[in-house]
Amino acid sequence: MEYMNTASTGDGESGPRWLSDDEQRVWRAYLHATMLFEDHLDRQLQRDAGMPHVYYGLLVQLSQSPHRRKRMTELAIGAKITRSRLSHAIARLEKNGWVRREDCPSDKRGQNAVLTDAGFEVLKAAAPAHVEAVRQALFDRLTPEQVGQLGEIMRIMSDALQPQESGADLPWLR
């Protein structure tokens, strides 16, 4: 219903701006592709590294941070997940010995997540197959021009969906 394309009622009232037939096709193709892509990456990482895609992303963030350490709040923002979901994920990663938590020296209420040597080794082992899965499912199927266009489209969408003003109601900021 939310994607319906209905003719104007002609009564002068403005109603929903329904998607055109072309927009509906693009929207559905986008949803279908993104769901399949995320599922593909998640299955690949579960099979090859024993972790879901979101955990891999957390390990990557930590590996790229100074001293392989990042404040939990910043980690949640980077992963676009709630603090509650992050806390659960970090607990699982701690159980595996891949991450440890430390109190933040500059803020007694804050905590840092730290990528352990074991976690770094797991990430190094998982990265080649993961990159190949991304390459085969996405980049190998696009021309260089399409890659550039896709990048620009995603930047425009991200900018619109992640306002920079303080007080933005985003789950990972709560």
Side-chain angles (χ1 to χ4, degrees), residues 37 39-51 53 56 60 121-140:
F37 191 42
D39 179 67
H40 173 72
L41 296 179
D42 207 51
R43 283 184 294 112
Q44 178 272 314
L45 282 164
Q46 286 285 7
R47 180 185 65 242
D48 296 345
M51 74 177 91
H53 193 214
Y56 180 86
V60 167
E121 291 304 315
V122 165
L123 181 62
K124 278 183 15 183
H130 181 65
V131 170
E132 188 58 29
V134 170
R135 183 166 295 292
Q136 286 178 354
L138 180 63
F139 294 106
D140 289 351

Side-chain angles (χ1 to χ4, degrees), residues 24-138:
Q24 284 185 52
R25 277 191 290 280
V26 169
W27 173 240
R28 289 177 181 149
Y30 169 82
L31 285 178
H32 189 71
T34 56
M35 286 180 203
L36 288 171
F37 191 42
E38 185 61 31
D39 179 67
H40 173 72
L41 296 179
D42 207 51
R43 283 184 294 112
Q44 178 272 314
L45 282 164
Q46 286 285 7
R47 180 185 65 242
D48 296 345
M51 74 177 91
H53 193 214
V54 69
Y55 290 13
Y56 180 86
L58 294 171
L59 297 180
V60 167
Q61 274 196 75
L62 291 171
S63 76
Q64 295 173 341
S65 298
H67 309 290
R68 299 191 313 209
R69 152 183 297 105
K70 198 167 196 172
R71 284 190 59 120
M72 293 283 284
T73 302
E74 295 302 314
L75 200 54
I77 291 168
K80 307 296 182 260
I81 59 176
T82 64
R83 292 177 193 173
S84 173
R85 185 172 179 205
L86 174 67
S87 184
H88 176 73
I90 293 297
R92 294 291 303 270
L93 293 169
E94 281 180 304
K95 186 177 178 184
N96 291 343
W98 300 344
V99 170
R100 73 175 183 277
R101 291 183 222 215
E102 293 179 347
D103 289 333
C104 181
S106 63
D107 178 2
K108 296 300 178 196
R109 296 176 305 169
Q111 283 194 315
N112 292 323
V114 181
L115 181 64
T116 65
D117 290 341
F120 188 70
E121 291 304 315
V122 165
L123 181 62
K124 278 183 15 183
H130 181 65
V131 170
E132 188 58 29
V134 170
R135 183 166 295 292
Q136 286 178 354
L138 180 63

Side-chain angles (χ1 to χ4, degrees), residues 1 3-9 15-21 24:
M1 178 100 172
Y3 316 122
M4 283 178 51
N5 185 3
T6 61
S8 171
T9 60
R17 294 181 339 137
W18 299 110
L19 299 180
S20 70
D21 290 343
Q24 284 185 52

